[in-house]
Amino acid sequence: QQQVKQSPQSLIVQKGGISIINCAYENTAFDYFPWYQQFPGKGPALLIAIRPDVSEKKEGRFTISFNKSAKQFSLHIMDSQPGDSATYFCAASTLQGAQKLVFGQGTRLTINP
Amino acid sequence: EPEVTQTPSHQVTQMGQEVILRCVPISNHLYFYWYRQILGQKVEFLVSFYNNEISEKSEIFDDQFSVERPDGSNFTLKIRSTKLEDSAMYFCASRWYSYDEKLFFGSGTQLSVL
């Protein structure tokens, strides 16, 4: 019940295209859904996050879409650039208590120039 | 931007040896965490620490693991008797206050147990 499932495992997109990564969760107590970006040799860095009271959040080229009834959320990267090539992790937690993050398996995104 | 600092970046040890991984969280942060990432796998929660005590730990965090905040700036993870399966990247993370969502991660310590 604590799992977060992420797909695809890897994704190749042409420069300027839209990258879409999907996640699904099981625990309905989760109320915070961040996306992290990780470059090789670095720690995860918070990219964008959403709470379940909204269905969409946009920050620049990055958008989270959230479907509470389906228990799914996705990251859309518009106008994908080679510098976006990284591993992306979705995660979920509750905002009560320790707020431990449960991560998805990760998606290795490659943007071809 | 403030950073979480971890040392060393790489640590090689023999099975059965003790290791201490060190972290300096962001200075005004109050909540501290250790996560680990086995090569090619997802990031996993190990332990959270607040007010000088463990607030939550995972099944991975058994009696071989301990955490400590020995002074006002450092936060350490000790593995008493390392096993081959402890080989992973260990990330320290911190956040400011109870309802602050933003978690800052360090760059990690790559632990290799031989």
Side-chain angles (χ1 to χ4, degrees):
Chain A
Q1 197 179 13
Q2 287 290 323
Q3 281 190 356
V4 176
K5 295 181 180 178
Q6 182 173 347
S7 63
Q9 280 191 314
S10 63
L11 180 62
I12 300 174
V13 174
Q14 291 300 116
K15 179 182 174 183
I18 302 173
S19 304
I20 301 174
I21 306 171
N22 300 299
C23 283
Y25 63 98
E26 300 168 351
N27 187 351
T28 54
F30 288 147
D31 53 7
Y32 174 63
F33 302 90
W35 283 89
Y36 281 82
Q37 181 187 55
Q38 185 181 30
F39 292 106
K42 297 293 186 181
L46 180 64
L47 188 62
I48 186 172
I50 197 168
R51 296 194 189 188
D53 52 345
V54 295
S55 61
E56 187 175 281
K57 183 174 181 180
K58 184 175 181 179
E59 289 183 1
R61 296 185 295 109
F62 302 92
T63 299
I64 299 179
S65 297
F66 184 81
N67 185 330
K68 188 174 182 178
S69 61
K71 292 187 283 186
Q72 294 175 348
F73 58 110
S74 60
L75 175 69
H76 296 234
I77 306 174
M78 312 298 288
D79 187 26
S80 300
Q81 300 297 312
D84 297 330
S85 297
T87 299
Y88 291 80
F89 292 94
C90 63
S93 76
T94 63
L95 290 175
Q96 301 294 324
Q99 296 187 28
K100 67 179 184 183
L101 289 171
V102 179
F103 282 86
Q105 288 290 119
T107 297
R108 180 172 290 184
L109 175 65
T110 303
I111 307 299
N112 284 335
Chain B
E1 185 170 279
E3 289 185 339
V4 175
T5 305
Q6 288 188 245
T7 56
S9 57
H10 293 86
Q11 174 102 36
V12 180
T13 189
Q14 296 291 323
M15 189 170 57
Q17 294 296 304
E18 174 183 287
V19 294
I20 297 176
L21 309 183
R22 304 181 189 278
C23 169
V24 179
I26 296 172
S27 62
N28 61 344
H29 284 192
L30 301 176
Y31 295 79
F32 312 113
Y33 302 80
W34 285 99
Y35 286 79
R36 80 173 186 187
Q37 185 178 29
I38 295 172
L39 185 63
Q41 297 187 23
K42 64 181 177 180
V43 179
E44 299 175 290
F45 168 79
L46 291 179
V47 66
S48 59
F49 190 86
Y50 170 70
N51 200 26
N52 283 320
E53 62 182 24
I54 291 173
S55 49
E56 190 167 348
K57 59 184 180 180
S58 72
E59 293 174 351
I60 303 167
F61 195 89
D62 61 23
D63 292 344
Q64 293 301 310
F65 290 85
S66 62
V67 289
E68 191 178 35
R69 187 152 164 83
D71 54 40
S73 59
N74 291 285
F75 180 51
T76 62
L77 174 69
K78 180 192 291 186
I79 309 174
R80 289 190 184 81
S81 178
T82 50
K83 308 184 187 74
L84 296 176
E85 55 264 37
D86 293 329
S87 295
M89 178 73 89
Y90 288 81
F91 293 107
C92 175
S94 70
R95 62 184 172 88
W96 182 22
Y97 63 92
S98 182
Y99 289 98
D100 181 20
E101 308 153 343
K102 192 169 185 177
L103 192 63
F104 291 82
F105 283 83
S107 291
T109 293
Q110 180 65 55
L111 177 64
S112 298
V113 182
L114 306 179

